[in-house]
Amino acid sequence: MLPILSLIVLIPILFSAVTFFTKTKEQARISALVGTLITLVLTMYMYFSFDSTSAAMQFEEAANWIPSLGITYHLGVDGVSMPLILLNAIVIPLLIIYTWNDVRAAPNRFYALILAMQGAVIGVFVSLDFFLFYVFWELTLVPLFFMVNIWGGANKKHAAIKFFIYTHVASLVMLLGIFGLYYNAWSLNGVPNMDMAYLIGQFQFLESEIARDAIFLALLFGFIVKTPVVPFHSWLPDAYSEAPTAGSVLFILLKIGGYGLFRVMLPMLPFTATPSLMITIMGALGAISIIYGAFLALAQKDLKRMIAYSSISHMGYVTLGAAGLVSLSISGAMFQQFSHGLIMSIMFMSCGVIQTKTGTSIINNLGGLAQKMPKLTVIMVLGFMASLGLPGLTGFIAEFLVLTFSFINMPIYVIIALLAIVITAAYHLWALQRAMFGTFNEKLGDIVDISSYQAFSMGVIALLVVYFGWHPSPVLDMMITNSEHIVSLMAVMGV
Amino acid sequence: MVNLMLLAPEITILVTGLIVLLAGLFLSAQSKKIVGYIAILGCVVAMLLTISSFGTTAVMFSNSLSIDALSQFFKIVFLTVTTLVCIASVKYTDGNDHADEYYVLVLFATIGMMMVASANDLMVLFVAFELASLATYGLAGFEKKNPASIEASMKYFIIGSLSAALLLLGIGYVYGATGTTNIEGIAQNIDLLLNSPMGILSLVLLIAGFGFKIALVPFHMWAPDTYQGAPSLVSALLAAGSKKMGIIAAFKVFIGALIALQADWQIAFAILAVLTMTYGNIVALSQTSVKRMLAYSSLAQAGYITMAFVVMTPMALTGGILYALSHGFMKAGAFIATAAVVYMVTSENKDILNADHLDNFKGLGRRMPITALSMTVFVFALSGIPPTAGYMSKFILFSSTIQSGLVWLAVIAILNSALSLYYYARVVRYMYAKPTDGDRVSEPLPYVIALLLAVAGVLVIGIWPEPFVSMAMEAASVLI
């Protein structure tokens, strides 16, 4: 059988190398588009032959890699990772089309980095060996570091290094947790093994309660910094807003933090020494992120920073839903990851257009853009509505599931989160009103609407937001299958 | 009967050195290029001989030399570094009337290092140690017209001689107490040294002696000045090769001979490791000279390797030994890349001072794409970003601290590793994100070959580490 998972990781990386050595912009963007389209075709093939009623790993590949350390090359997908792979495979070719006519220095490097990023992110989602997982996890840092550093905004130097070091520290703390799991299983069974499912399964046999909690918290720290969750979010606003538009979208597609919660943290949760404390920590951090992110978004003067903070607020639903521990709240959290990736891509793309056409993203300096940019306005309003949770769009389904079903286990946090909904609606509508509607700000000069390339890629994403908003089951079914599986594992332990 | 075939690598290097020495007498300055090729050939042959005999064990010359996986692994490290340095040096010594002397010194230093790796007797170890040191003192001052190079050599020589004296004194005390200089003999008679002030005194002297060579804080004072002042390729040899000589010597003496005093030296190494990595990383943050920054980063790396003495499990030693090889590739590569930049800058402007200043790295991604890309790989490897040799070694070494329950050490090491990312990333930022008005320059072929070989080494160890890990495990099993 075709080693399809290896291919969807290796093809982007291979094309990244090819793109790097292209000479002209024309060659670079075509090479990048071809690479991502091949990945998309393979992913679609995989998606359509995927069995969404099974919670088991599918398309598994395994081979020995470093036998003396028990490290294997083990890949597989299930309902947790499949939608996220799909998200990356769909949005990245559209991102390349979006940047088709952009003028920038060194386009070959730019597209090579996008492809490298795609390979690394998909690599994280398909890895079933902790060593491999960590390799891809760290690799995602490098393209983004360059992306912000080379094509970023005025404050790029600070933003890039802050992001790089902050998240690197978090990864290293996570690595300590992985070491803990690894040696625990090694001393129990006498053989080294880095397989994720195996190590997570052996976690419960670790005798020391302090060690179990310490390992859990170390891993949790690694994941929630990446998610990110308040109070470990401070790298995000700088990085998201200083990055070029493509970089911001890549940041958005980097759903590895939330993925780690489902893949690693939830199966381990029942076996910590103090599960209820851990649930409280996760739930509280989720609720705080939702409301704190919303308040900060309300206070922003810059449209891009506002979107960045709104992203923190939205990712809070992922943490909250995961801590909800009901299969539908977990599915809602997973769906939020998928939906958030689509919606935020539209929002950052819109903001990117505004920034390039008007030269500013300060909300007060804009005004009445709808008159000059009708096409952009339609798509952008749809994106904003989806983001604030309008029924019929994906954001609503995710947030509805999370809030409704988390209420069973943690009503207080849900009530706190509900307060944020009003604020969320306020900052979205207020920003739209000031930037897009009202009288046109004549100082902005003559402005043209978005190009057809940009309209195409943003339009496709917008259609997906509508489609999955009405008909979420193509991705939601597999999420539910897997979250039921996770919950049933926990029920065995009586949590 | 002594099987001389097992000494073939050393003999090859020696014969190559003598050929180069002789050839140098008859060749004109222009045709001296050929001695570089001879030296490279000799190194490659010696390396192949070492690899082909990997795993054989033998003791020879009245138990004064031992050939085992450990010594062979380190010989591979030294020969790798020397080969890389020799390849890059072809351009550096081009047209220099003293090229033959340069290669002879490099080759003799390598023999010294290789003999240290094989030494089974403290006297052999000391003599080989001095052979390598004397050759490198000369190399550090190779640029006779450059005051910085002379200063580097002078500082290195004075402090090195002092450390040699301390080392010899330490060996003297060990010999006085146990009546032998043989490593196994010392281990057998160690009870004569236990619980005696002489034991502590000899430990202090030995740690100081080796600490100078490894450049552990507080014995590091010479290192930044020497690495900065010496020709970049010599700094590569010092940081990537000669430093490992100190490590293998310390492995042999402390773990091989003085294991019974473990409780005493382990705590000393714990303090030195933490001090060295923290000091190295913090001071490296503010350096604007890339060579000086690499010097401090090499302090930090030595601090990481020293953790192997603190943890002392088979896993930790495997990590330490693999780190030695990885560091050989990464650090030699980084210095060679710097040498390429220095070469480019000085060929544009002969009288320039601070040719290795960070400003000269501006826009290097456009000016010297291969050098810049290689340098990026090396600094990311040094900071431990996967999938590189640096990550693989750190993975094994740091994880062993968790295995032994030394969580505090793991946390310190990891914080240090994160700190180091700042100055490594800064070099990358200068190369790719800073504009420059300089034009694209053609990169000299010898540098490019050496860089690509080092990049290949870094990536192969990172992506397919199995053979290297199992070799390092075999080497570690010699010690424990």
Side-chain angles (χ1 to χ4, degrees):
Chain A
M1 211 186 84
L2 204 61
I4 195 157
L5 291 178
S6 297
L7 286 177
I8 60 171
V9 175
L10 289 179
I11 285 175
I13 291 176
L14 196 71
F15 271 87
S16 167
V18 172
T19 311
F20 186 80
F21 289 107
T22 53
K23 293 275 178 249
T24 63
K25 180 181 167 187
E26 192 66 35
Q27 289 168 350
R29 63 191 187 190
I30 287 176
S31 152
L33 187 64
V34 170
T36 50
L37 283 179
I38 296 174
T39 313
L40 177 62
V41 169
L42 287 171
T43 310
M44 293 313 282
Y45 165 76
M46 186 169 80
Y47 170 74
F48 285 115
S49 42
F50 184 87
D51 176 11
S52 58
T53 58
S54 157
M57 284 294 162
Q58 304 180 30
F59 303 97
E60 266 188 277
E61 292 170 31
N64 266 341
W65 184 14
I66 314 176
S68 39
L69 298 176
I71 294 166
T72 52
Y73 177 78
H74 188 187
L75 307 180
V77 278
D78 64 359
V80 182
S81 43
M82 184 71 227
L84 296 172
I85 298 171
L86 195 64
L87 173 72
N88 271 278
I90 292 175
V91 176
I92 289 181
L94 293 172
L95 179 64
I96 289 168
I97 295 172
Y98 172 86
T99 57
W100 200 253
N101 283 328
D102 282 9
V103 181
R104 63 165 49 86
N108 58 336
R109 289 186 200 155
F110 181 79
Y111 289 112
L113 288 176
I114 293 183
L115 285 161
M117 188 69 195
Q118 185 180 29
V121 178
I122 295 180
V124 174
F125 294 140
V126 298
S127 300
L128 295 181
D129 182 283
F130 260 126
F131 186 85
L132 190 61
F133 176 81
Y134 188 81
V135 167
F136 283 123
W137 177 282
E138 281 291 272
L139 270 185
T140 59
L141 290 182
V142 179
L144 287 173
F145 171 72
F146 280 107
M147 194 67 120
V148 177
N149 236 328
I150 301 180
W151 297 280
N155 202 11
K156 61 187 180 183
K157 174 183 152 188
H158 173 72
I161 201 83
K162 185 172 173 182
F163 151 73
F164 202 23
I165 292 181
Y166 203 133
T167 56
H168 182 63
V169 171
S171 315
L172 287 171
V173 173
M174 182 181 86
L175 189 61
L176 285 182
I178 296 176
F179 289 159
L181 287 176
Y182 178 53
Y183 284 110
N184 164 50
W186 192 345
S187 66
L188 283 174
N189 302 322
V191 281
N193 193 335
M194 264 283 177
D195 195 74
M196 274 172 122
Y198 167 79
L199 288 186
I200 293 167
Q202 295 293 311
F203 175 65
Q204 53 185 302
F205 302 119
L206 180 58
E207 262 175 45
S208 156
E209 293 197 337
I210 297 173
R212 264 184 288 157
D213 273 4
I215 290 175
F216 185 86
L217 287 175
L219 289 166
L220 184 66
F221 182 72
F223 294 132
I224 62 179
V225 168
K226 264 276 155 62
T227 309
V229 161
V230 176
F232 307 111
H233 65 286
S234 63
W235 61 270
L236 182 142
D238 289 335
Y240 278 33
S241 58
E242 292 301 325
T245 306
S248 308
V249 174
L250 289 177
F251 268 117
I252 282 300
L253 297 177
L254 189 67
K255 291 276 173 258
I256 56 181
Y259 169 75
L261 293 181
F262 305 120
R263 170 73 73 227
V264 181
M265 300 324 295
L266 287 184
M268 280 171 60
L269 183 63
F271 306 109
T272 54
T274 49
S276 57
L277 176 67
M278 299 301 166
I279 295 169
T280 312
I281 291 176
M282 286 170 69
L285 289 177
I288 292 170
S289 300
I290 294 173
I291 192 143
Y292 186 76
F295 270 113
L296 284 180
L298 188 63
Q300 297 308 312
K301 296 186 171 67
D302 184 304
L303 187 61
K304 207 167 178 185
R305 276 189 97 80
M306 187 211 89
I307 300 174
Y309 278 107
S310 94
S311 171
I312 297 176
S313 173
H314 286 118
M315 289 308 284
Y317 287 95
V318 176
T319 322
L320 180 65
L325 291 186
V326 182
S327 69
L328 282 173
S329 79
I330 298 173
S331 316
M334 291 177 187
F335 194 74
Q336 172 75 346
Q337 292 235 79
F338 181 79
S339 138
H340 180 257
L342 292 175
I343 297 170
M344 282 290 145
S345 301
I346 301 184
M347 292 178 68
F348 274 118
M349 284 176 177
S350 315
C351 183
V353 173
I354 293 176
Q355 219 170 5
T356 42
K357 305 273 177 191
T358 67
T360 177
S361 60
I362 305 294
I363 301 173
N364 279 340
N365 294 350
L366 302 169
L369 291 180
Q371 298 164 23
K372 303 275 182 180
M373 307 170 103
K375 279 190 273 183
L376 173 73
T377 311
V378 172
I379 297 171
M380 189 172 166
V381 168
L382 186 121
F384 271 62
M385 289 303 151
S387 178
L388 69 79
L390 193 75
L393 301 169
T394 53
F396 172 74
I397 295 176
E399 287 170 20
F400 176 79
L401 285 174
V402 169
L403 292 176
T404 315
F405 293 96
S406 299
F407 193 78
I408 301 169
N409 283 333
M410 37 185 59
I412 297 171
Y413 298 138
V414 170
I415 291 168
I416 294 173
L418 279 171
L419 296 175
I421 287 185
V422 185
I423 305 162
T424 307
Y427 68 75
H428 279 109
L429 294 174
W430 198 30
L432 264 189
Q433 190 188 18
R434 284 184 296 166
M436 307 305 287
F437 302 110
T439 50
F440 180 68
N441 185 349
E442 295 298 339
K443 280 184 212 147
L444 294 174
D446 200 24
I447 291 170
V448 287
D449 204 352
I450 49 177
S451 72
S452 48
Y453 288 104
Q454 290 164 336
F456 171 76
S457 52
M458 290 166 72
V460 171
I461 301 175
L463 285 179
L464 288 174
V465 170
V466 177
Y467 174 75
F468 287 113
W470 284 103
H471 187 57
S473 61
V475 292
L476 194 57
D477 283 354
M478 58 181 84
M479 292 170 175
I480 293 174
T481 310
N482 269 84
S483 35
E484 275 169 356
H485 178 67
I486 293 171
V487 171
S488 70
L489 287 180
M490 290 181 184
V492 174
M493 285 304 296
V495 175
Chain B
M1 180 59 200
V2 172
N3 182 1
L4 280 179
M5 260 320 278
L6 287 171
L7 281 182
E10 283 90 343
I11 295 171
T12 311
I13 297 287
L14 181 66
V15 170
T16 315
L18 294 175
I19 292 174
V20 168
L21 197 57
L22 266 176
L25 292 175
F26 303 107
L27 291 171
S28 67
Q30 270 63 42
S31 52
K32 272 188 177 164
K33 219 172 186 175
I34 192 147
V35 296
Y37 299 130
I38 296 174
I40 296 168
L41 185 71
C43 290
V44 171
V45 170
M47 174 118 81
L48 293 177
L49 285 169
T50 315
I51 294 173
S52 67
S53 67
F54 188 82
T56 45
T57 334
V59 179
M60 48 178 77
F61 299 124
S62 317
N63 204 6
S64 64
L65 280 185
S66 71
I67 310 285
D68 49 37
L70 180 69
S71 67
Q72 280 165 325
F73 192 91
F74 272 87
K75 280 180 205 169
I76 294 172
V77 174
F78 299 139
L79 287 169
T80 309
V81 172
T82 308
T83 312
L84 291 174
V85 168
C86 283
I87 293 175
S89 299
V90 169
K91 190 75 197 176
Y92 171 67
T93 57
D94 193 12
N96 191 323
D97 198 24
H98 301 286
D100 49 334
E101 291 154 29
Y102 178 86
Y103 288 107
V104 168
L105 288 174
V106 169
L107 291 170
F108 283 1
T110 312
I111 298 180
M113 297 177 202
M114 290 166 74
M115 293 303 275
V116 169
S118 281
N120 202 26
D121 187 289
L122 293 187
M123 284 330 289
V124 176
L125 189 135
F126 181 76
V127 170
F129 212 80
E130 278 306 281
L131 171 60
S133 301
L134 287 172
T136 45
Y137 298 148
L139 280 172
F142 184 69
E143 290 180 3
K144 277 180 282 190
K145 302 237 167 74
N146 180 351
S149 177
I150 301 296
E151 187 198 334
S153 176
M154 211 52 204
K155 236 173 206 162
Y156 184 32
F157 174 63
I158 292 171
I159 297 185
S161 308
L162 177 66
S163 82
L166 294 179
L167 188 61
L168 200 55
L169 200 55
I171 293 175
Y173 275 113
V174 173
Y175 174 63
T178 61
T180 175
T181 50
N182 184 277
I183 286 181
E184 281 122 35
I186 296 168
Q188 280 157 14
N189 296 338
I190 197 72
D191 48 328
L192 300 167
L193 210 55
L194 272 178
N195 303 320
S196 88
M198 223 192 242
I200 300 294
L201 195 57
S202 57
L203 275 187
V204 169
L205 292 168
L206 288 172
I207 290 178
F210 294 131
F212 274 113
K213 197 57 71 198
I214 311 176
L216 294 176
V217 174
F219 313 114
H220 67 285
M221 295 306 183
W222 61 276
D225 292 331
T226 303
Y227 290 1
Q228 187 185 10
S232 308
L233 294 171
V234 175
S235 308
L237 188 69
L238 289 178
S242 149
K243 186 173 276 226
K244 304 304 151 34
M245 177 177 76
I247 286 166
I248 176 67
F251 272 143
K252 286 188 171 269
V253 172
F254 292 108
I255 303 179
L258 302 174
I259 188 79
L261 298 170
Q262 188 180 2
D264 294 320
W265 54 253
Q266 219 160 13
I267 181 80
F269 274 118
I271 296 169
L272 291 178
V274 170
L275 267 182
T276 305
M277 65 177 94
T278 315
Y279 179 85
N281 278 324
I282 289 177
V283 179
L285 289 177
S286 59
Q287 302 303 323
T288 50
S289 150
V290 173
K291 275 161 82 178
R292 214 174 167 80
M293 186 208 86
L294 287 175
Y296 282 108
S297 114
S298 124
L299 288 189
Q301 307 278 334
Y304 300 142
I305 299 179
T306 312
M307 283 162 57
F309 290 98
V310 185
V311 185
M312 274 287 288
T313 56
M315 191 74 170
L317 291 173
T318 306
I321 291 168
L322 185 66
Y323 211 127
L325 178 65
S326 314
H327 187 245
F329 277 111
M330 305 184 291
K331 194 48 90 18
F335 270 115
I336 292 171
T338 314
V341 175
V342 169
Y343 178 84
M344 184 246 335
V345 171
T346 43
S347 59
E348 279 175 356
N349 177 1
K350 270 225 157 3
D351 309 316
I352 195 161
L353 293 170
N354 306 328
D356 62 329
H357 194 275
L358 204 49
D359 284 340
N360 294 328
F361 281 69
K362 274 184 187 167
L364 206 64
R366 209 165 47 74
R367 302 193 65 191
M368 305 172 86
I370 301 173
T371 310
L373 195 63
S374 314
M375 187 71 174
T376 308
V377 172
F378 300 137
V379 293
F380 279 152
L382 284 167
S383 66
I385 302 279
T388 57
Y391 165 68
M392 198 56 227
S393 322
K394 272 189 185 168
F395 177 84
I396 299 177
L397 191 55
F398 289 12
S399 77
S400 71
T401 58
I402 296 281
Q403 187 185 23
S404 322
L406 297 168
V407 179
W408 62 272
L409 190 59
V411 170
I412 292 174
I414 268 183
L415 286 179
N416 262 292
S417 188
L419 188 63
S420 69
L421 194 58
Y422 181 80
Y423 57 85
Y424 292 130
R426 189 175 52 184
V427 178
V428 176
R429 187 164 56 77
Y430 266 77
M431 291 193 299
Y432 285 99
K434 290 256 175 179
T436 173
D437 43 1
D439 294 323
R440 170 94 191 244
V441 290
S442 71
E443 295 161 273
L445 188 64
Y447 284 114
V448 170
I449 294 174
L451 287 172
L452 292 182
L453 284 176
V455 167
V458 168
L459 291 181
V460 167
I461 299 178
I463 293 170
W464 192 51
E466 175 58 25
F468 304 96
V469 173
S470 53
M471 271 163 86
M473 278 183 166
E474 209 179 324
S477 66
V478 173
L479 286 170
I480 291 190

